Amino acid sequence: MIKTSVEAIIFDWAGTTVDFGSRAPMGAFVKLFQSEGIEMTIPQARIPMGINKWDHINALLSLSEIQSQWFKMHGKSHTDADVDRLLDIFVPMNKVSIRECGQLIPGVAELSKTLRERHIKIGSTTGYTKELLDILLPIAKEQGYEADALSYSGDTQLGRPSAQMMHKCAVQLGLDNPLAFIKVDDTEPGIQEGKAFGCWTVGVAVSGNALGLSFEELNAMPDGEANRLKNSARLKMQEMHPDYVIDSVADLLPIIDEINTRLDLGEKPNSYNN
């Protein structure tokens, strides 16, 4: 029997590898709706996080609190044309916020180097469009992080939570066994994407959408409050039922080792469907 081991990690971007707290998309969404005269909170903006940006805007417009404001202003419900128009406004806003929040999450550059040394390939899927990803890629590369395979919003017929972007990355990497993949993400659609592919899934709790604070904001808090928020974020991620929950990608290496041990024992992720 051919031995299986982890051969590829497919990472998300905001909140997982860059932008501690996943703040770039959120700030842009809030500014977008403010420009339309609609009040929106950061927690509301985070609700659909992880899906592509067109669907995200559509989902926000469908929230009852937002829908009522829109109807009051326009006298009718929003249309696809409204979403198209808002997306055109959103993209330049998000470009600015990506540049402002493009710092690697602590531990990513070191992890990337170790994965290269172990001959583990790196892929990425994202709700960002190619236009937005083109801004982010050189920023990340300059800091020591680069993916071998990329799939983005609009690159496949279906986005998250389908597995189409995962399959596209697998083809680019020349790998076809889901058991040899780990999907690392900070959102439920991203975790579901990995499950749909049938691979191991790792939820990132503290650095991403579940907590939603910058590294500096978190470290400035009293220990008791910070720990309470971290525990709450871990519980949120556990409710998404990934195979593992970690605080950030800095904690991933022991998980890889544990998965390799489980593979040696013939174990499979909960979502394995082949």
Side-chain angles (χ1 to χ4, degrees), residues 23 30 32 48 56 60 89 95 102 117 131 148 152 167 181 190 210 215 217 220 246 257 260 267:
R23 294 162 295 133
V30 170
L32 170 67
H56 194 133
L60 292 176
I89 300 170
K95 284 181 178 180
E117 292 168 352
E131 187 177 359
D148 303 308
Y152 44 83
H167 282 292
F181 283 74
F215 187 72
E217 288 170 334
I246 57 177
D257 294 337
N260 279 330
E267 296 183 24

PDB file of all heavy atoms in Angstrom, residues 23 30 32 48 56 60 89 95 102 117 131 148 152 167 181 190 210 215 217 220 246 257 260 267:
ATOM      1  N   ARG A  23      -9.388  42.658   8.555  1.00  0.00           N
ATOM      2  CA  ARG A  23      -9.988  43.991   8.635  1.00  0.00           C
ATOM      3  C   ARG A  23     -10.162  44.664   7.280  1.00  0.00           C
ATOM      4  O   ARG A  23     -11.032  45.520   7.120  1.00  0.00           O
ATOM      5  CB  ARG A  23      -9.130  44.880   9.542  1.00  0.00           C
ATOM      6  CG  ARG A  23      -9.107  44.426  11.003  1.00  0.00           C
ATOM      7  CD  ARG A  23      -7.934  45.030  11.754  1.00  0.00           C
ATOM      8  NE  ARG A  23      -6.670  44.553  11.222  1.00  0.00           N
ATOM      9  CZ  ARG A  23      -5.625  45.339  10.925  1.00  0.00           C
ATOM     10  NH1 ARG A  23      -5.700  46.639  11.111  1.00  0.00           N
ATOM     11  NH2 ARG A  23      -4.519  44.834  10.444  1.00  0.00           N
ATOM     12  N   VAL A  30     -18.048  48.500   5.124  1.00  0.00           N
ATOM     13  CA  VAL A  30     -18.709  49.541   5.923  1.00  0.00           C
ATOM     14  C   VAL A  30     -18.675  50.881   5.192  1.00  0.00           C
ATOM     15  O   VAL A  30     -19.684  51.600   5.117  1.00  0.00           O
ATOM     16  CB  VAL A  30     -18.070  49.643   7.322  1.00  0.00           C
ATOM     17  CG1 VAL A  30     -18.587  50.871   8.062  1.00  0.00           C
ATOM     18  CG2 VAL A  30     -18.369  48.390   8.143  1.00  0.00           C
ATOM     19  N   LEU A  32     -18.389  51.351   1.996  1.00  0.00           N
ATOM     20  CA  LEU A  32     -19.239  51.236   0.818  1.00  0.00           C
ATOM     21  C   LEU A  32     -20.683  51.592   1.162  1.00  0.00           C
ATOM     22  O   LEU A  32     -21.318  52.410   0.479  1.00  0.00           O
ATOM     23  CB  LEU A  32     -19.172  49.812   0.263  1.00  0.00           C
ATOM     24  CG  LEU A  32     -20.192  49.462  -0.826  1.00  0.00           C
ATOM     25  CD1 LEU A  32     -19.908  50.252  -2.092  1.00  0.00           C
ATOM     26  CD2 LEU A  32     -20.176  47.955  -1.101  1.00  0.00           C
ATOM     27  N   PRO A  48     -21.427  37.388   6.197  1.00  0.00           N
ATOM     28  CA  PRO A  48     -21.252  36.476   5.048  1.00  0.00           C
ATOM     29  C   PRO A  48     -19.785  36.203   4.708  1.00  0.00           C
ATOM     30  O   PRO A  48     -19.497  35.676   3.630  1.00  0.00           O
ATOM     31  CB  PRO A  48     -21.913  37.239   3.889  1.00  0.00           C
ATOM     32  CG  PRO A  48     -22.443  38.522   4.464  1.00  0.00           C
ATOM     33  CD  PRO A  48     -21.706  38.754   5.739  1.00  0.00           C
ATOM     34  N   HIS A  56     -21.233  38.474  -1.347  1.00  0.00           N
ATOM     35  CA  HIS A  56     -21.151  39.099  -0.030  1.00  0.00           C
ATOM     36  C   HIS A  56     -22.002  40.373   0.007  1.00  0.00           C
ATOM     37  O   HIS A  56     -22.787  40.584   0.944  1.00  0.00           O
ATOM     38  CB  HIS A  56     -19.683  39.422   0.288  1.00  0.00           C
ATOM     39  CG  HIS A  56     -19.424  39.747   1.720  1.00  0.00           C
ATOM     40  ND1 HIS A  56     -18.380  39.199   2.436  1.00  0.00           N
ATOM     41  CD2 HIS A  56     -20.056  40.586   2.588  1.00  0.00           C
ATOM     42  CE1 HIS A  56     -18.403  39.678   3.673  1.00  0.00           C
ATOM     43  NE2 HIS A  56     -19.402  40.536   3.779  1.00  0.00           N
ATOM     44  N   LEU A  60     -25.367  41.038   2.222  1.00  0.00           N
ATOM     45  CA  LEU A  60     -25.511  42.173   3.137  1.00  0.00           C
ATOM     46  C   LEU A  60     -26.784  42.957   2.827  1.00  0.00           C
ATOM     47  O   LEU A  60     -27.520  43.373   3.737  1.00  0.00           O
ATOM     48  CB  LEU A  60     -24.289  43.090   3.039  1.00  0.00           C
ATOM     49  CG  LEU A  60     -22.968  42.517   3.567  1.00  0.00           C
ATOM     50  CD1 LEU A  60     -21.835  43.487   3.310  1.00  0.00           C
ATOM     51  CD2 LEU A  60     -23.067  42.188   5.051  1.00  0.00           C
ATOM     52  N   ILE A  89     -17.920  50.071  -7.013  1.00  0.00           N
ATOM     53  CA  ILE A  89     -17.473  51.067  -6.038  1.00  0.00           C
ATOM     54  C   ILE A  89     -16.584  50.422  -4.982  1.00  0.00           C
ATOM     55  O   ILE A  89     -15.587  51.003  -4.535  1.00  0.00           O
ATOM     56  CB  ILE A  89     -18.692  51.740  -5.357  1.00  0.00           C
ATOM     57  CG1 ILE A  89     -19.566  52.443  -6.383  1.00  0.00           C
ATOM     58  CG2 ILE A  89     -18.235  52.735  -4.287  1.00  0.00           C
ATOM     59  CD1 ILE A  89     -20.902  52.917  -5.823  1.00  0.00           C
ATOM     60  N   LYS A  95      -9.046  47.888  -2.565  1.00  0.00           N
ATOM     61  CA  LYS A  95      -7.637  47.982  -2.967  1.00  0.00           C
ATOM     62  C   LYS A  95      -6.847  48.809  -1.956  1.00  0.00           C
ATOM     63  O   LYS A  95      -5.731  48.447  -1.569  1.00  0.00           O
ATOM     64  CB  LYS A  95      -7.513  48.612  -4.361  1.00  0.00           C
ATOM     65  CG  LYS A  95      -7.880  47.682  -5.510  1.00  0.00           C
ATOM     66  CD  LYS A  95      -7.696  48.402  -6.845  1.00  0.00           C
ATOM     67  CE  LYS A  95      -8.000  47.492  -8.011  1.00  0.00           C
ATOM     68  NZ  LYS A  95      -7.830  48.175  -9.309  1.00  0.00           N
ATOM     69  N   GLY A 102      -2.049  44.701   4.566  1.00  0.00           N
ATOM     70  CA  GLY A 102      -1.410  43.580   3.879  1.00  0.00           C
ATOM     71  C   GLY A 102      -0.280  42.899   4.625  1.00  0.00           C
ATOM     72  O   GLY A 102       0.425  42.065   4.052  1.00  0.00           O
ATOM     73  N   GLU A 117      10.916  23.514   2.965  1.00  0.00           N
ATOM     74  CA  GLU A 117      11.954  22.557   3.354  1.00  0.00           C
ATOM     75  C   GLU A 117      11.419  21.135   3.416  1.00  0.00           C
ATOM     76  O   GLU A 117      12.135  20.173   3.147  1.00  0.00           O
ATOM     77  CB  GLU A 117      12.548  22.956   4.709  1.00  0.00           C
ATOM     78  CG  GLU A 117      13.359  24.243   4.657  1.00  0.00           C
ATOM     79  CD  GLU A 117      13.710  24.786   6.025  1.00  0.00           C
ATOM     80  OE1 GLU A 117      13.190  24.239   7.038  1.00  0.00           O
ATOM     81  OE2 GLU A 117      14.492  25.763   6.101  1.00  0.00           O
ATOM     82  N   GLU A 131      -8.394  40.964  -9.579  1.00  0.00           N
ATOM     83  CA  GLU A 131      -7.959  42.362  -9.524  1.00  0.00           C
ATOM     84  C   GLU A 131      -7.459  42.724  -8.125  1.00  0.00           C
ATOM     85  O   GLU A 131      -6.449  43.422  -7.966  1.00  0.00           O
ATOM     86  CB  GLU A 131      -9.127  43.274  -9.920  1.00  0.00           C
ATOM     87  CG  GLU A 131      -8.771  44.740 -10.064  1.00  0.00           C
ATOM     88  CD  GLU A 131      -9.937  45.581 -10.525  1.00  0.00           C
ATOM     89  OE1 GLU A 131     -11.034  45.026 -10.747  1.00  0.00           O
ATOM     90  OE2 GLU A 131      -9.752  46.806 -10.665  1.00  0.00           O
ATOM     91  N   ASP A 148       2.053  28.452  -4.539  1.00  0.00           N
ATOM     92  CA  ASP A 148       2.375  27.733  -5.774  1.00  0.00           C
ATOM     93  C   ASP A 148       1.160  27.624  -6.688  1.00  0.00           C
ATOM     94  O   ASP A 148       1.307  27.384  -7.888  1.00  0.00           O
ATOM     95  CB  ASP A 148       2.862  26.320  -5.442  1.00  0.00           C
ATOM     96  CG  ASP A 148       4.051  26.318  -4.509  1.00  0.00           C
ATOM     97  OD1 ASP A 148       5.041  27.013  -4.808  1.00  0.00           O
ATOM     98  OD2 ASP A 148       3.999  25.628  -3.474  1.00  0.00           O
ATOM     99  N   TYR A 152      -9.363  32.088  -7.268  1.00  0.00           N
ATOM    100  CA  TYR A 152      -9.938  33.302  -6.715  1.00  0.00           C
ATOM    101  C   TYR A 152     -11.384  33.450  -7.173  1.00  0.00           C
ATOM    102  O   TYR A 152     -11.883  32.679  -8.025  1.00  0.00           O
ATOM    103  CB  TYR A 152      -9.117  34.518  -7.164  1.00  0.00           C
ATOM    104  CG  TYR A 152      -8.758  34.469  -8.633  1.00  0.00           C
ATOM    105  CD1 TYR A 152      -9.658  34.906  -9.609  1.00  0.00           C
ATOM    106  CD2 TYR A 152      -7.539  33.926  -9.045  1.00  0.00           C
ATOM    107  CE1 TYR A 152      -9.341  34.829 -10.953  1.00  0.00           C
ATOM    108  CE2 TYR A 152      -7.221  33.840 -10.400  1.00  0.00           C
ATOM    109  CZ  TYR A 152      -8.127  34.289 -11.341  1.00  0.00           C
ATOM    110  OH  TYR A 152      -7.820  34.195 -12.677  1.00  0.00           O
ATOM    111  N   HIS A 167     -10.328  22.102  -6.270  1.00  0.00           N
ATOM    112  CA  HIS A 167      -9.984  21.222  -7.390  1.00  0.00           C
ATOM    113  C   HIS A 167      -9.049  21.937  -8.370  1.00  0.00           C
ATOM    114  O   HIS A 167      -8.115  21.329  -8.904  1.00  0.00           O
ATOM    115  CB  HIS A 167     -11.253  20.764  -8.113  1.00  0.00           C
ATOM    116  CG  HIS A 167     -11.997  19.678  -7.410  1.00  0.00           C
ATOM    117  ND1 HIS A 167     -11.497  18.394  -7.282  1.00  0.00           N
ATOM    118  CD2 HIS A 167     -13.198  19.691  -6.768  1.00  0.00           C
ATOM    119  CE1 HIS A 167     -12.363  17.656  -6.607  1.00  0.00           C
ATOM    120  NE2 HIS A 167     -13.402  18.407  -6.274  1.00  0.00           N
ATOM    121  N   PHE A 181      -4.192  16.736   1.376  1.00  0.00           N
ATOM    122  CA  PHE A 181      -4.416  18.180   1.459  1.00  0.00           C
ATOM    123  C   PHE A 181      -4.922  18.593   2.833  1.00  0.00           C
ATOM    124  O   PHE A 181      -5.670  17.860   3.482  1.00  0.00           O
ATOM    125  CB  PHE A 181      -5.466  18.620   0.436  1.00  0.00           C
ATOM    126  CG  PHE A 181      -4.975  18.702  -0.986  1.00  0.00           C
ATOM    127  CD1 PHE A 181      -4.750  17.548  -1.720  1.00  0.00           C
ATOM    128  CD2 PHE A 181      -4.765  19.933  -1.592  1.00  0.00           C
ATOM    129  CE1 PHE A 181      -4.322  17.623  -3.035  1.00  0.00           C
ATOM    130  CE2 PHE A 181      -4.337  20.013  -2.903  1.00  0.00           C
ATOM    131  CZ  PHE A 181      -4.106  18.857  -3.625  1.00  0.00           C
ATOM    132  N   GLY A 190     -15.082  28.817   3.920  1.00  0.00           N
ATOM    133  CA  GLY A 190     -13.771  28.248   3.613  1.00  0.00           C
ATOM    134  C   GLY A 190     -13.586  26.863   4.192  1.00  0.00           C
ATOM    135  O   GLY A 190     -12.997  25.975   3.562  1.00  0.00           O
ATOM    136  N   ALA A 210     -13.293  35.269  13.208  1.00  0.00           N
ATOM    137  CA  ALA A 210     -14.026  34.903  14.423  1.00  0.00           C
ATOM    138  C   ALA A 210     -13.755  35.871  15.572  1.00  0.00           C
ATOM    139  O   ALA A 210     -14.637  36.118  16.399  1.00  0.00           O
ATOM    140  CB  ALA A 210     -13.668  33.478  14.849  1.00  0.00           C
ATOM    141  N   PHE A 215      -3.752  42.635  15.533  1.00  0.00           N
ATOM    142  CA  PHE A 215      -2.742  42.102  16.450  1.00  0.00           C
ATOM    143  C   PHE A 215      -2.460  43.099  17.569  1.00  0.00           C
ATOM    144  O   PHE A 215      -2.365  42.739  18.737  1.00  0.00           O
ATOM    145  CB  PHE A 215      -1.462  41.798  15.661  1.00  0.00           C
ATOM    146  CG  PHE A 215      -0.405  41.087  16.442  1.00  0.00           C
ATOM    147  CD1 PHE A 215      -0.548  39.765  16.799  1.00  0.00           C
ATOM    148  CD2 PHE A 215       0.772  41.752  16.814  1.00  0.00           C
ATOM    149  CE1 PHE A 215       0.440  39.099  17.513  1.00  0.00           C
ATOM    150  CE2 PHE A 215       1.761  41.102  17.523  1.00  0.00           C
ATOM    151  CZ  PHE A 215       1.591  39.766  17.880  1.00  0.00           C
ATOM    152  N   GLU A 217      -4.482  45.597  18.628  1.00  0.00           N
ATOM    153  CA  GLU A 217      -5.660  45.741  19.487  1.00  0.00           C
ATOM    154  C   GLU A 217      -5.754  44.604  20.490  1.00  0.00           C
ATOM    155  O   GLU A 217      -6.049  44.822  21.675  1.00  0.00           O
ATOM    156  CB  GLU A 217      -6.933  45.777  18.635  1.00  0.00           C
ATOM    157  CG  GLU A 217      -7.114  47.061  17.846  1.00  0.00           C
ATOM    158  CD  GLU A 217      -8.232  46.965  16.834  1.00  0.00           C
ATOM    159  OE1 GLU A 217      -8.547  45.841  16.386  1.00  0.00           O
ATOM    160  OE2 GLU A 217      -8.776  48.024  16.469  1.00  0.00           O
ATOM    161  N   ALA A 220      -3.076  44.867  23.237  1.00  0.00           N
ATOM    162  CA  ALA A 220      -3.267  46.007  24.139  1.00  0.00           C
ATOM    163  C   ALA A 220      -4.324  45.731  25.204  1.00  0.00           C
ATOM    164  O   ALA A 220      -4.458  46.504  26.160  1.00  0.00           O
ATOM    165  CB  ALA A 220      -3.647  47.247  23.335  1.00  0.00           C
ATOM    166  N   ILE A 246      -7.015  26.013  15.496  1.00  0.00           N
ATOM    167  CA  ILE A 246      -5.786  26.612  16.004  1.00  0.00           C
ATOM    168  C   ILE A 246      -5.991  28.111  16.133  1.00  0.00           C
ATOM    169  O   ILE A 246      -6.938  28.665  15.568  1.00  0.00           O
ATOM    170  CB  ILE A 246      -4.570  26.319  15.092  1.00  0.00           C
ATOM    171  CG1 ILE A 246      -4.824  26.818  13.660  1.00  0.00           C
ATOM    172  CG2 ILE A 246      -4.238  24.826  15.112  1.00  0.00           C
ATOM    173  CD1 ILE A 246      -3.647  26.635  12.704  1.00  0.00           C
ATOM    174  N   ASP A 257       2.010  17.268  11.632  1.00  0.00           N
ATOM    175  CA  ASP A 257       2.623  16.045  12.154  1.00  0.00           C
ATOM    176  C   ASP A 257       1.563  15.063  12.657  1.00  0.00           C
ATOM    177  O   ASP A 257       1.661  13.851  12.422  1.00  0.00           O
ATOM    178  CB  ASP A 257       3.599  16.384  13.291  1.00  0.00           C
ATOM    179  CG  ASP A 257       4.809  17.182  12.810  1.00  0.00           C
ATOM    180  OD1 ASP A 257       5.126  17.102  11.600  1.00  0.00           O
ATOM    181  OD2 ASP A 257       5.423  17.891  13.632  1.00  0.00           O
ATOM    182  N   ASN A 260      -0.220  13.469   9.702  1.00  0.00           N
ATOM    183  CA  ASN A 260       0.623  12.432   9.100  1.00  0.00           C
ATOM    184  C   ASN A 260       0.591  11.144   9.922  1.00  0.00           C
ATOM    185  O   ASN A 260       0.545  10.037   9.366  1.00  0.00           O
ATOM    186  CB  ASN A 260       2.063  12.940   8.955  1.00  0.00           C
ATOM    187  CG  ASN A 260       2.253  13.816   7.731  1.00  0.00           C
ATOM    188  OD1 ASN A 260       1.565  13.646   6.720  1.00  0.00           O
ATOM    189  ND2 ASN A 260       3.179  14.754   7.806  1.00  0.00           N
ATOM    190  N   GLU A 267      -6.360   6.597   9.145  1.00  0.00           N
ATOM    191  CA  GLU A 267      -7.487   7.461   9.484  1.00  0.00           C
ATOM    192  C   GLU A 267      -7.741   8.499   8.397  1.00  0.00           C
ATOM    193  O   GLU A 267      -6.858   8.813   7.607  1.00  0.00           O
ATOM    194  CB  GLU A 267      -7.236   8.154  10.827  1.00  0.00           C
ATOM    195  CG  GLU A 267      -7.143   7.186  12.000  1.00  0.00           C
ATOM    196  CD  GLU A 267      -6.957   7.913  13.321  1.00  0.00           C
ATOM    197  OE1 GLU A 267      -7.342   9.106  13.410  1.00  0.00           O
ATOM    198  OE2 GLU A 267      -6.444   7.297  14.271  1.00  0.00           O
TER     199      GLU A 267
END
